[in-house]
Amino acid sequence: MSTADERIRTWLQAAAPTHAPGGLLAASLARSAGLTARPPRSMVLGVPRVWLGIAATLGLVITSIIGLALAGGASRAKVEPSTRPAPTVALSRDFTSFLWSNGYGFQAGREPATGIVDAATVLDRAAERDHASAFGPPAAPLFGTMTCEWPSLCVPLVAGDRPSATPPDPLAVWLVAYPATDAWTLVDAASGAELTGSLGTLGSCTAADVGTNPFCTAGVEPPSDPLPVDVRYALAVWGQEFMIETVVSIDPGDAPTPQGGGLDPATIVASLAVADPRWSAPGPDIQGAMGWMACRRPACPEGVATRAGEPRRVWVIARADASSWVVVDAETGVVIRDDSSAVRP
Amino acid sequence: MGLVDAEAARGGDRAAFERLAAGAIDRLYAIAHLILRDAHQADDAVQETLVRAWLGIGRLRDPARFDAWLHRLLVHACTDQVRGRRRFEAAVRHVDFEPSTPDRTDHLADRDALERGFRRLSHEHRAVVVFHFYLGLTVPEIADHLGVPAGTVKSRLHHARQALRAGLDADGRQELAPTLGNVR
């Protein structure tokens, strides 16, 4: 195998998931359980029976097809697709911060039809735990999967009185929010038990958000096309993984607004412009993405990670054409890297 | 055990079919995920595959070819997904994250180049790449699994290799020697 072939093979092996998501087998078998398998072919003297009758039935078949076409359709066994579409929801910064600081990522998705505790049961059990009296009424639970993204950080999760599996495989969970008090809990979808120690606060809700968006991300749109691809490539080549939390368009003339957690991007751009006229001169739109950056190499460049292997909160500020970009520590405003020292694709 | 279960499942043994499904599901999901590059679509494709497998196993001529037959069903199910019969997108978006693997100097550059090149391939070409490089199947085996002529497999594999190698070569022309720059 050539070197290039070996690289392709290595990449595919690394990119392939090791296990199917929990519940997929059960859901698949449940869907097929109600259907009748077609029987084996029957044979006559070694010839499929259907062939022996085909000559006799050919005329009838043709007539039937014409008749059905004229009638406007034929019926066949239908396999119903999966139920609801994935929910569209923006997660609060506090929730994602909590997860990432503990090494986990979260992806919202559609709950399987079987194999898990359903949303109604989750709410009933939340009522039994009497969270509502302390946190107010819960919102409709959101189904998703948690995955250990940073193995050095992932703490084992405890569901009820037993430890749940520590992923590398995705863990199916329900996220239950309590909008009145910005609280939330995580529930193990397989057992319905609350994940111990997960109770936290959303922290960024406004009065206008309560009751409309249980995850309280007012004013922040989910990222659609976060950063210029050249910037992402440069960050990847540099050796860093960059997980995006949000994206905003920045007008340097905007008054700074609190974003919750570190410096706001307008302030950062204003301070950059003092030393570097590229950021004050007219040009393509300036975009910013806040996220977590972690070093994925055995030896991390000094200053990138607060502790070896752990993520650091940063802003990536970039012109839309990637002509200028900079990575800035979100807490201190210190420039970590910029395009002058980066390798361009 | 697989052949015995395939024989039994072909005769209508539900428990045998469930054992076969349990033994294949991780592999099926990995293949679908590689071809479709979307977890939800891969989920749907695997479900469809197993449902169709249960419906059609009574007519499987040779139980020894159960795996090949299952793979063909899976590729058809992936095709259905690509054609957009069921598409869902979550508004919350994360950058894809690799599981921890031993680091190599060129690992991230390779991954980025191959990911981009792979996404530009049609799903038919992706399937051939996955079956050859991930499952380790030969051209005749791939032709059998996909139900296409060997010449078609060769052609798709050649085109896919060229496209992926071109991406690697283009990135290799850049000097991938990151400096510390303004790290403070």
Side-chain angles (χ1 to χ4, degrees):
Chain A
M1 185 175 279
S2 69
T3 301
D5 283 355
E6 182 59 35
R7 289 158 82 180
I8 295 170
R9 191 192 70 81
T10 301
W11 170 71
L12 278 172
Q13 296 287 347
T18 52
H19 296 284
L24 178 56
L25 177 63
S28 303
L29 293 176
R31 282 179 61 196
S32 64
L35 304 171
T36 304
R38 280 178 281 179
R41 295 168 186 267
S42 60
M43 312 288 271
V44 175
L45 300 176
V47 177
R49 185 183 295 274
V50 64
W51 291 3
L52 297 178
I54 197 167
T57 60
L58 185 60
L60 179 61
V61 168
I62 292 174
T63 303
S64 300
I65 290 173
I66 293 173
L68 286 169
L70 291 174
S75 65
R76 61 176 182 165
K78 285 188 179 177
V79 177
E80 291 302 320
S82 301
T83 53
R84 301 196 294 273
T88 55
V89 67
L91 294 180
S92 77
R93 188 170 298 123
D94 181 76
F95 174 69
T96 49
S97 296
F98 164 80
L99 284 185
W100 284 342
S101 63
N102 285 285
Y104 286 96
F106 176 85
Q107 183 170 16
R110 291 163 292 124
E111 70 272 24
T114 59
I116 61 165
V117 174
D118 63 23
T121 304
V122 168
L123 286 178
D124 288 344
R125 294 185 184 180
E128 290 170 7
R129 295 188 196 99
D130 200 25
H131 285 330
S133 64
F135 304 116
L142 172 68
F143 182 82
T145 52
M146 288 174 60
T147 310
C148 176
E149 309 284 14
W150 288 282
S152 64
L153 290 179
C154 292
V155 295
L157 300 171
V158 180
D161 59 356
R162 60 174 179 82
S164 64
T166 301
D169 300 328
L171 178 68
V173 297
W174 286 101
L175 173 64
V176 183
Y178 300 84
T181 52
D182 305 344
W184 50 269
T185 62
L186 285 169
V187 173
D188 175 36
S191 66
E194 197 170 274
L195 293 176
T196 304
S198 67
L199 199 63
T201 60
L202 294 166
S204 57
C205 294
T206 67
D209 298 321
V210 172
T212 58
N213 184 344
F215 306 106
C216 301
T217 57
V220 178
E221 294 297 323
S224 56
D225 189 17
L227 287 173
V229 65
D230 288 358
V231 175
R232 181 182 302 286
Y233 177 85
L235 293 174
V237 169
W238 177 34
Q240 311 306 312
E241 293 286 355
F242 185 64
M243 295 184 70
I244 292 174
E245 196 171 59
T246 187
V247 64
V248 296
S249 291
I250 303 166
D251 180 348
D254 280 350
T257 53
Q259 294 288 322
L263 300 172
D264 65 275
T267 299
I268 292 174
V269 171
S271 66
L272 290 172
V274 171
D276 188 342
R278 293 182 302 165
W279 297 107
S280 58
D285 288 345
I286 299 175
Q287 289 186 308
M290 173 177 277
W292 293 87
M293 179 168 286
C295 177
R296 296 291 293 165
R297 292 172 172 270
C300 301
E302 185 179 345
V304 169
T306 51
R307 283 167 289 181
E310 290 181 357
R312 185 179 187 181
R313 195 178 189 85
V314 299
W315 275 103
V316 178
I317 309 293
R319 289 283 189 183
D321 64 354
S323 56
S324 306
W325 59 268
V326 63
V327 180
V328 175
D329 185 302
E331 306 299 328
T332 64
V334 170
V335 175
I336 299 171
R337 185 150 177 100
D338 65 25
D339 55 281
S340 65
S341 54
V343 176
R344 292 189 182 280
Chain B
M1 175 63 75
L3 183 58
V4 171
D5 280 340
E7 288 266 14
R10 193 175 66 150
D13 186 333
R14 176 70 185 180
F17 176 80
E18 292 185 357
R19 285 193 294 273
L20 290 171
I25 195 164
D26 287 343
R27 184 179 72 247
L28 293 178
Y29 182 75
I31 295 170
H33 195 282
L34 286 173
I35 292 175
L36 294 170
R37 313 305 291 147
D38 182 283
H40 293 311
Q41 289 187 322
D43 193 302
D44 280 351
V46 170
Q47 287 200 35
E48 285 296 321
T49 298
L50 291 178
V51 169
R52 293 175 190 177
W54 172 243
L55 286 175
I57 195 166
R59 298 190 171 247
L60 176 62
R61 288 196 184 90
D62 181 2
R65 294 187 63 258
F66 174 78
D67 282 342
W69 174 71
L70 199 63
H71 288 159
R72 189 181 305 182
L73 292 181
L74 179 68
V75 173
H76 289 167
C78 290
T79 300
D80 290 344
Q81 291 296 314
V82 170
R83 288 176 182 164
R85 291 188 186 183
R86 284 172 289 278
R87 286 189 174 275
F88 303 109
E89 289 184 10
V92 177
R93 179 155 162 203
H94 284 198
V95 175
D96 287 341
F97 201 88
E98 288 284 299
S100 289
T101 54
D103 204 346
R104 287 176 13 198
T105 303
D106 59 350
H107 174 63
L108 284 167
D110 263 9
R111 185 200 67 185
D112 202 59
L114 287 168
E115 180 73 40
R116 287 182 291 177
F118 196 72
R119 285 182 183 271
R120 284 193 285 265
L121 296 176
S122 71
H123 77 281
E124 290 96 348
H125 288 86
R126 292 184 200 175
V128 167
V129 169
V130 170
F131 277 56
H132 182 67
F133 290 102
Y134 178 68
L135 291 181
L137 300 181
T138 63
V139 167
E141 288 171 334
I142 297 173
D144 182 37
H145 282 230
L146 296 181
V148 298
T152 302
V153 173
K154 284 184 185 175
S155 171
R156 289 178 184 172
L157 194 55
H158 173 75
H159 170 82
R161 264 193 174 118
Q162 295 289 93
L164 293 173
R165 284 174 180 168
L168 289 172
D169 289 345
D171 288 339
R173 282 194 288 272
Q174 307 299 324
E175 286 193 13
L176 299 179
T179 65
L180 293 180
N182 294 329
V183 174
R184 296 193 265 276

